Amino acid sequence: MPVYDDVLRRNQGEIEFHQAVYEVLESLSPVVQKRPEFVEASIIERICEPERQIIFRVPWVDDKNVVQINRGFRVEFNSALGPFKGGLRFHPSVYLGIVKFLGFEQVFKNALTSMPIGGGKGGSDFDPKGRSEGEIMRFCQSFMTELYRHIGEYTDVPAGDIGVGGREIGYLFGQYKRITNRYESGVLTGKGLSWGGSQARTEATGYGTVFFVNEMLKTRGQSLDGKRVVVSGSGNVATFAVQKVHQLGGTVVAVSDSSGYVVDEHGIDLEALREVKEVERGRIDSYVAKVGGRATFIEGGSVWDVPCDVALPCATQNELPVEGAKALITNGVQVVGEGANMPTTPTAVAAFQAAGVLFAPGKAANAGGVATSALEMQQNASRDRWTFDHTEERLADIMVGIHELCLSTSDAYDIPGDYVAGANIAGFTQVADAMLAMGVI
Ligand code: GLU
């Protein structure tokens, strides 16, 4: 693929970005045959090159009065469908290749939501682990002191991702407001409920993933009711995936973090999990004592060894390797839905598909988070506030819509039931049509 060779040449060493591009390009040959105008206008070449990439220094002073330097990023990938939209990730692993992979995925994901949002992503190699409130605030303020000039309600709208939740969005919004002297609610999403945030935004990514998986099960005449579910991760996405699975009658028997995983045959106790992760910001092994010893902690090891009907990778990229896929298949997994971005490696995806396991890629299954961000922008633009139930209903409709779009697209291209190709083709054609209409820009 000459386009892919160009991507390799221009983005050397950015392996996650290469992987994300390859996975999309692999799906596009039937589109290219049907729509030669995309080739004539070099749409694929253009879509693989971000519109703008910003890298900046983030200096701040820690609690010991030592000056710290981090690197900040914002990759504004594609604005054909609306302002750049996508989260910020604060994690030591963040470098340009991670931000680009996330930004690239976001372009297609956002298109699938059918909301008017382009795609972008940002973040920093800052590690929030073990940092005090004051350090987190000063870091966020310094980060925004540079970022503010690049973003705006009609330009680029950041939100959270790994390491960036309500607390960080608060500090970021406060600094933006102070610098610009504008109460521009729609410049960030994931805000607090009393200052422009949307009901159900916190829950949306996890809930949306579970809604999507329930739709997948329906295609086989089943539902989540009575299903055994394994969720990896224990952050925002995982937490609310657990909650929605339980509301729909399934049982989540395991969750994890980077230290290992816990198995709780009674079903993961959400209060205990949130106490460990959100209040104490501790490790997952503390969960065992919180539930009176009824659960088991397995240090290291793979959560994918736990037998289940449904697996929801909700932690981070490439966390589900082919060995994990094989263990899940051997234990009879029926459905895999990605709550995280690109958590399943390409060989693991291929293994699931070859085994007839229903597999949904993150850009479809986890789009509920950003879709609800778009609902937050809608509420901010009309200076309105919706109820939880109304917002959750909109989220559920959007997820059903994405599921239908993936299936109808895979049908139209003679690859029925292939959610990966369906999502890639449907996302791509929407962005490509808009780019075609707008000329060479
Ligand atoms: N970080 C989330 C994602 O991966 C949400 C981004 C947003 O709400 O803008 O889609």
Side-chain angles (χ1 to χ4, degrees), residues 85-88 102 106 109-110 121 157-162 189-190 201 205 341 366-367 369-374:
K85 180 84 195 86
L88 298 170
L102 291 164
Q106 201 83 46
K109 181 197 306 196
N110 293 6
K121 204 88 188 192
V157 182
D161 195 82
I162 294 171
T189 61
R201 174 63 191 90
T205 312
N341 290 313
N366 75 33
V370 75
T372 309
S373 278

Side-chain angles (χ1 to χ4, degrees), residues 40-60:
E40 280 153 31
S42 297
I43 296 287
I44 301 183
E45 287 84 342
R46 278 197 272 155
I47 239 172
C48 291
E49 181 69 12
E51 287 182 32
R52 188 180 294 121
Q53 306 180 49
I54 303 147
I55 305 180
F56 50 98
R57 181 171 68 193
V58 189
W60 57 285

